Amino acid sequence: MNGEWSISAVAATTVSLDGSVGNGAFAGTAVVAAICDQTPFLPKNSALATVHDMGLAAIGVATIVLEGADSLDATQFYYTNSSGVATAGFKDSLLSGEIAILAQTVVGGGSCWVEVALSRYMTMRASAHTTGTFQGALVA
């Protein structure tokens, strides 16, 4: 499943890789990254990222991580480090440094907007997630 694919929603937590042919069971953690290579989402530019508490059964409690990578091979994403060396994984994309979001007291109680540096591949993930449901988007 490594590579660049268009996806279609199948269910609330399931997508299909359009045009792919399966080659066995998947074991591991899937990473989905948006490809930002067309105007206005070009690498070396910035955009706004928004994260919303979806307001379902529980207050959203998590650390949301916004990251970017410059390239992809058959097994791994890579970013270019400060020395110009391709490094496995993703780099932090926040332009404003670390931010703290105040705890919400009601379900659906909040959203956050931050400026991010765009890379070819952008990903958003929840780390240390304990409750709630989130939705995120890039806005140019």
Side-chain angles (χ1 to χ4, degrees):
M1 74 184 225
N2 294 324
E4 295 180 3
W5 300 93
S6 293
I7 60 174
S8 296
V10 174
T13 59
T14 307
V15 297
S16 69
L17 301 175
D18 298 342
S20 69
V21 177
N23 62 358
F26 175 72
T29 303
V31 175
V32 176
I35 300 173
C36 298
D37 63 355
Q38 295 185 20
T39 304
F41 294 105
L42 291 172
K44 308 294 183 210
N45 290 329
S46 66
L48 289 177
T50 181
V51 179
H52 303 279
D53 178 350
M54 291 294 291
L56 299 177
I59 295 171
V61 178
T63 300
I64 305 299
V65 181
L66 300 153
E67 298 173 311
D70 304 313
S71 62
L72 169 70
D73 67 16
T75 61
Q76 180 70 52
F77 287 95
Y78 295 89
Y79 69 93
T80 304
N81 70 17
S82 59
S83 299
V85 176
T87 304
F90 288 90
K91 63 182 172 187
D92 180 16
S93 292
L94 283 179
L95 288 177
S96 56
E98 289 189 22
I99 61 169
I101 301 170
L102 298 176
Q104 303 300 315
T105 57
V106 296
V107 173
S111 64
C112 177
W113 292 82
V114 293
E115 186 179 15
V116 294
L118 291 175
S119 296
R120 177 168 168 77
Y121 301 97
M122 296 295 297
T123 188
M124 179 183 297
R125 62 184 170 84
S127 170
H129 178 263
T130 57
T131 64
T133 305
F134 298 91
Q135 176 182 31
L138 285 174
V139 181

